[in-house]
Amino acid sequence: MEDTPASNFLQSIISDDIASGRVKEVVTRFPPEPNGYLHIGHAKAISVNFGLAEANQGRCNLRFDDTNPEKESQEYIEAIQADVRWLGYSWDAEVRYASSYFQQFYDWAIHLVAQGDAYVCDLSPDEAREYRGTLTEPGRNSPSRERSVADNLDLLARMKAGEFDDGAKVLRAKIDMSSPNMNMRDPILYRIRKVSHHQTGHDWVIYPTYDFAHGQEDAIEGVTHSICTLEFEDHRPLYNWLIEHLPVPSRPQQYEFGRLNPSYTVTSKRKLKELVDEGVVTGWDDPRMPTVSGMRRRGYTAAAIRKFCDMIGTTRSDGVVDVAMLEFAIREDLNENAARGMCVLRPLKVVLTDYPSDKVEDLCAPGHPSRDDLGERVLPFTRELYIEVDDFREEANKKFKRLVLGKRVRLRNAYVIEADEVVKDALGNVCEVHAHIIPDTLGENPTDGIKPKGVIHWVSASHGKNAQVRLYERLFNHEAPDKGDNAFMDHINPGSLEVIESAWIEPSLTAAIPEQGFQFEREGYFVADRYDHSSDKPVFNRTIGLRDTWNTQ
Ligand code: ATP
Ligand code: MG
């Protein structure tokens, strides 16, 4: 299952290119459009591009493909850089922008026009669609197609000068209106957009299309392997056509791999933005979002995300990956690395009637069952404790291995106790349990031979601390929320967040710092919230439960 760099098809291509001398130094790039935050699919693309560069002692550029100013922003530019760094990668030299090559693209547009390979087209968007033909019918030549070079040069200059309105004219490559590949039917190279750009301000009113920009950016930067997802496969002939028809400084090649589509997840930036704009989530970094910043805030670790990206491999097919694999990678990492602690989510008070009210015993527990480097924690043991409401019943059958009236249970890392009576409120709900300690049961079984059936967690009522705990579940309750006719908004899991205000944490957890992850014993993995947590007002987010219960509920 594990995908070492040597075993994926892209690495084979690179190895062949190095062996044949086609490339000396491998240069890749990760080219996000700054029109949203990065998501799990981008994490895959990042691990592929940066990973291949690293594995081959090459370089990987971070380049903003910023050719659609209306949808882009500085906020996204900054968030994307922070996310790439957090994932553990560093790009070569300065961050790059497609927009810093705008003048070069324009010069190359003039070059194409002068060569007779591009023309200014007057068709309206509707007309252009009609002329374009269909998958089964060839397109027709635009009436503008046979314009003279001189007229085209003049019109292109006037487009740039702002003489025409948005949509009035476009620059198109002159290729083949009857090509079976729609991308080769005189594709648009430049369109008029009278909007300001986050990097170039009002310098430009015409902007290059993705197709005209991308390969040329790669060529300028000396990218050797331009790796993208499969939807660009049909654009490759155009990518190559432009490289062949322009005096570019190098000859990059495009390769495609399958997009990562995890189940129960949407990975379209447009849809993620809708979730944010509609207030379904609190922002791009809401812990339920499949964004890198959301996963980070949820307590997923960069190492586990990278591990997952390796585990699923890199292939040439688009398929759905079970999101449980991602969750597995998270659990595995946290099980190994997260310190342990006890937190009672829904407290029920237990009073140990035979334990003096002024007595405090400092019991010790390991920070981690197998990691000595995580030290020990002190658990003050006192007369009044909290246990989970669900861990007590007045009566129960043998399957219930927790505390039952008249029966025994072990308090984790502490004594065995036996429940004697309950105190009820006016509604008849148990609000307190009175119990007593079975002597000499620290790390020992009771001497009378009556062993407790189970172990439950607890926190001292007087020495623990109140915390807010946010219980997160998957955001969608449908395996493929946006496939086919599914309106993804109809598949929001209404129980994706439950906020508990009155959880009770053991004292060692008050030292948690934002983004520190823990295993709350018997409950799951939790992380101190990146923004809202403080030792005065602790806030923990549930990263993931201890086991995959999704399919067994
Ligand atoms: P969206 O469809 O959400 O707008 P995009 O592909 O347009 O995403 P870009 O910012 O252009 O987003 O993506 C940057 C790079 O990340 C591209 O090379 C793209 O192929 C890759 N990428 C995007 N989504 C995925 C995915 N789900 N799996 C793998 N790679 C992806
Ligand atoms: Mg894109």
Side-chain angles (χ1 to χ4, degrees), residues 396-469:
N397 64 20
K398 289 204 168 77
K399 278 195 208 139
F400 186 77
K401 296 197 166 45
R402 303 176 231 172
L403 187 60
V404 179
L405 205 53
K407 301 266 167 54
R408 295 177 178 184
V409 80
R410 174 170 297 280
L411 296 177
R412 196 173 174 86
N413 304 305
Y415 294 97
V416 174
I417 61 167
E418 186 172 311
D420 303 315
E421 56 181 347
V422 294
V423 177
K424 293 188 178 178
D425 63 17
L427 296 170
N429 298 314
V430 175
C431 52
E432 212 171 277
V433 176
H434 290 185
H436 66 276
I437 292 184
I438 309 299
D440 303 323
T441 50
L442 270 187
E444 304 287 340
N445 278 321
T447 48
D448 62 8
I450 306 174
K451 284 191 207 163
K453 291 271 168 10
V455 181
I456 61 173
H457 58 280
W458 57 278
V459 174
S460 159
S462 51
H463 287 61
K465 194 174 168 80
N466 173 234
Q468 187 194 76
V469 175

Side-chain angles (χ1 to χ4, degrees), residues 350-364:
V350 173
V351 180
L352 300 170
T353 49
D354 57 345
Y355 201 86
S357 57
D358 56 352
K359 184 170 171 185
V360 182
E361 272 177 281
D362 280 342
L363 305 180
C364 263

Side-chain angles (χ1 to χ4, degrees), residues 359-376:
K359 184 170 171 185
V360 182
E361 272 177 281
D362 280 342
L363 305 180
C364 263
H368 187 282
S370 60
R371 292 267 308 267
D372 293 344
D373 59 312
L374 293 176
E376 289 209 320

Side-chain angles (χ1 to χ4, degrees), residues 297 465-470 505-516 518 520 527-541:
R297 197 165 173 196
K465 194 174 168 80
N466 173 234
Q468 187 194 76
V469 175
R470 301 166 181 171
I505 53 173
E506 69 168 63
S508 78
L509 290 171
T510 59
I513 53 169
E515 297 202 75
Q516 191 177 357
F518 296 91
F520 288 175
V527 68
D529 189 74
R530 186 177 172 192
Y531 302 112
D532 302 335
H533 172 87
S534 67
S535 52
D536 282 346
K537 269 195 96 267
V539 178
F540 290 92
N541 301 330

